[in-house]
């Protein structure tokens, strides 16, 4: 598979101020990153209320809402940064992976801006942007490090040697962890998105009532599997009374099983690689219990732990703008075609 990140010609000047556009799923994010001042501004519109009534993201509705929100968000972000469009040096947009229609909204908007302003544009890998989101913090991680990427669409353990130098050590063979949270929440009659809803309900749960399996912990390797755990939850729901305490107990044990699996697999990867830095990113990285247990594990093993701030764990334009800044300054930029990829392996980058 040919890389999106083509280096067709070296740019004649450095790229100082980059506009980032995120439209991969159900959040519209716009941000501006500056070489000297860092993150200048970022705005985000979430479609949670729109999709909640359906129990999950409806792709066509997501695309239409991105079209409605993207220009007002751009105007708001420029105002917050006290900049005009003429002061933007480059545009980065999410080119994949994600929903086809949603990606196209950001890609066409970003490319159109680039053509109108006569500045370079670049399609960015969504998961690579999550991977480097901790670089926006005051004490960013240094290369190399191990990354645990946990989101609605991905569960990955990645060895990160440098920008673009990634080795996938383990991944989910079926449902991603965020997807498992969403499906389990639906079984319990909770709102979308499932992660925060289950975490809140789990606080009221009895940790001793149920015992769910910890998938694939008894097998060698670093891959994950969560579909069987979801099936086990479904059986437990069907064989027990549907009162609120039972739901809370199920939510508690489901979350405990997921977190223990993630923590132990991550610990196994750290031992296997010998790496002493861990980055945790993606929407599920905002889970409080996961952070607490990873904190205990890394402290015990003398591992430095890095997260993005909570609102940069979920999809956002800031991570797109930052990665766009890094890659545009390598001379990488789009060719003539507008291309997006709904599926795009992280280890196919250069």
């Amino acid at each position: 598979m040919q890389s999106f990140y083509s280096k067709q010609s070296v740019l004649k000047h450095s790229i100082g101020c980059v506009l980032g556009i995120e439209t991969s799923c159900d959040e519209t994010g716009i941000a501006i990153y500056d070489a000297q001042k860092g993150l200048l501004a970022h705005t985000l519109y979430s479609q949670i209320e729109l999709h909640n009534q359906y129990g999950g993201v409806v792709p066509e509705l997501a695309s239409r809402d991105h079209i409605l929100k993207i220009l007002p968000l751009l105007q708001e972000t420029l105002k917050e940064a006290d900049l005009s469009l003429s002061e933007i040096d480059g545009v980065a947009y999410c080119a994949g992976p994600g929903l086809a229609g949603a990606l196209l909204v950001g890609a066409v908007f970003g490319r159109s801006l680039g053509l109108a302003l006569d500045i370079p544009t670049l399609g960015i890998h969504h998961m690579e942007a999550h991977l480097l989101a901790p670089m926006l913090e005051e004490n960013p991680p240094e290369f190399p490090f191990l990354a645990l990427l946990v989101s609605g669409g991905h569960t990955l353990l990645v060895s990160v040697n440098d920008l673009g130098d990634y080795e996938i050590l383990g991944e989910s063979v079926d449902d991603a962890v965020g997807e498992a949270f969403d499906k389990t929440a639906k079984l319990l009659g909770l709102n979308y998105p499932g992660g925060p809803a289950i975490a809140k309900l789990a606080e009221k749960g009895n940790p001793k009532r149920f015992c769910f399996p910890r998938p694939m912990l008894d097998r060698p390797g670093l891959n994950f599997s969560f579909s069987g755990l979801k099936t086990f939850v479904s059986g437990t729901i069907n064989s027990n009374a549907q009162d609120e305490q039972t739901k809370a107990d199920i939510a508690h044990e489901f979350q405990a099983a997921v977190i223990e699996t993630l923590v132990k697999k991550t610990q196994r990867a750290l031992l296997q690689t010998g790496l002493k830095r861990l980055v945790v990113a993606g929407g599920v990285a905002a889970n409080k219990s996961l952070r607490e247990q990873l904190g205990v594990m890394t402290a015990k093993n003398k591992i430095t732990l890095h997260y993005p701030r909570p609102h940069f764990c979920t999809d956002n334009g800031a991570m797109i703008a930052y990665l766009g800044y890094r890659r545009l300054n390598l001379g990488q930029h789009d060719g003539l075609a507008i291309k997006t990829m709904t599926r795009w392996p992280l280890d196919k980058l250069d």
Side-chain angles (χ1 to χ4, degrees), residues 11-17 35-36 89-90 325 328-329:
L11 301 177
K12 295 180 180 179
H13 58 87
S14 62
I15 306 297
C17 196
Q36 301 299 322
D89 299 317
Y325 161 75
L328 283 166
N329 276 289

Side-chain angles (χ1 to χ4, degrees), residues 86-316:
S86 62
E87 295 175 273
I88 301 297
D89 299 317
V91 178
Y93 58 90
C94 181
L99 302 176
L103 291 169
L104 279 171
V105 174
V108 171
F109 187 76
R111 293 299 304 280
S112 299
L113 277 177
L115 288 170
L117 298 171
D118 193 25
I119 57 176
T121 65
L122 182 65
I124 293 299
H125 192 291
H126 181 75
M127 295 310 294
E128 185 183 26
H130 273 303
L131 187 74
L132 299 184
M135 300 293 186
L136 291 163
E137 304 306 320
E138 289 185 1
N139 297 303
E142 296 180 0
F143 298 115
F145 56 80
L146 178 75
L148 173 65
L149 299 183
V150 277
S151 69
H154 300 84
T155 306
L156 298 172
L157 280 166
V158 185
S159 177
V160 180
N161 295 315
D162 205 339
L163 179 67
D165 187 358
Y166 313 127
E167 178 186 0
I168 296 177
L169 304 175
E171 59 189 328
S172 179
V173 298
D174 41 56
D175 290 351
V177 63
E179 185 180 7
F181 269 105
D182 288 341
K183 290 180 177 179
T184 299
K186 193 170 184 178
L187 290 172
L188 290 170
L190 303 176
N191 289 335
Y192 170 85
I198 286 180
K200 183 177 180 180
L201 184 60
E203 294 176 357
K204 305 175 183 177
N206 178 0
K208 297 182 179 180
R209 181 172 177 186
F210 296 110
C211 183
F212 293 170
R214 274 52 175 166
M216 296 185 76
L217 280 187
D218 58 345
R219 303 182 189 178
L222 298 173
N223 285 338
F224 301 90
S225 172
F226 295 105
S227 64
L229 178 59
K230 179 203 66 179
T231 302
F232 196 93
V233 170
S234 178
T236 303
I237 291 172
N238 292 333
S239 59
N240 286 273
Q242 298 301 298
D243 59 275
E244 287 304 307
Q245 186 57 53
T246 297
K247 290 182 179 180
D249 297 342
I250 291 172
H252 186 284
E253 180 59 14
F254 168 78
Q255 179 175 259
V258 168
I259 290 175
E260 183 178 344
T261 301
L262 292 173
V263 171
K264 289 190 174 180
K265 288 279 187 173
T266 302
Q267 182 177 17
R268 189 180 296 178
L270 287 166
L271 291 172
Q272 177 178 309
T273 60
L275 293 168
K276 295 300 181 181
R277 284 180 288 271
L278 173 65
V279 161
V280 186
V284 182
N287 183 283
K288 182 180 177 181
S289 295
L290 176 62
R291 288 186 173 224
E292 289 175 351
Q293 293 192 36
L294 282 172
V296 172
M297 184 271 288
T298 52
K300 182 179 179 181
N301 292 278
K302 298 181 179 179
I303 303 295
T304 305
L305 182 57
H306 297 270
Y307 290 100
R309 66 198 75 171
H311 54 273
F312 287 167
C313 288
T314 54
D315 296 349
N316 63 87

Side-chain angles (χ1 to χ4, degrees), residues 8-31:
Q8 296 187 356
S9 62
V10 177
L11 301 177
K12 295 180 180 179
H13 58 87
S14 62
I15 306 297
C17 196
V18 175
L19 175 72
I21 302 170
E22 161 60 34
T23 63
S24 65
C25 189
D26 60 343
E27 270 102 15
T28 314
I30 304 289

Side-chain angles (χ1 to χ4, degrees), residues 28 45 47 50 61-70:
T28 314
Y45 178 81
Q47 302 175 5
L50 173 65
L61 294 181
S63 304
R64 293 180 182 182
D65 211 48
H66 286 309
I67 294 171
L68 292 174
K69 301 299 190 302
I70 195 167

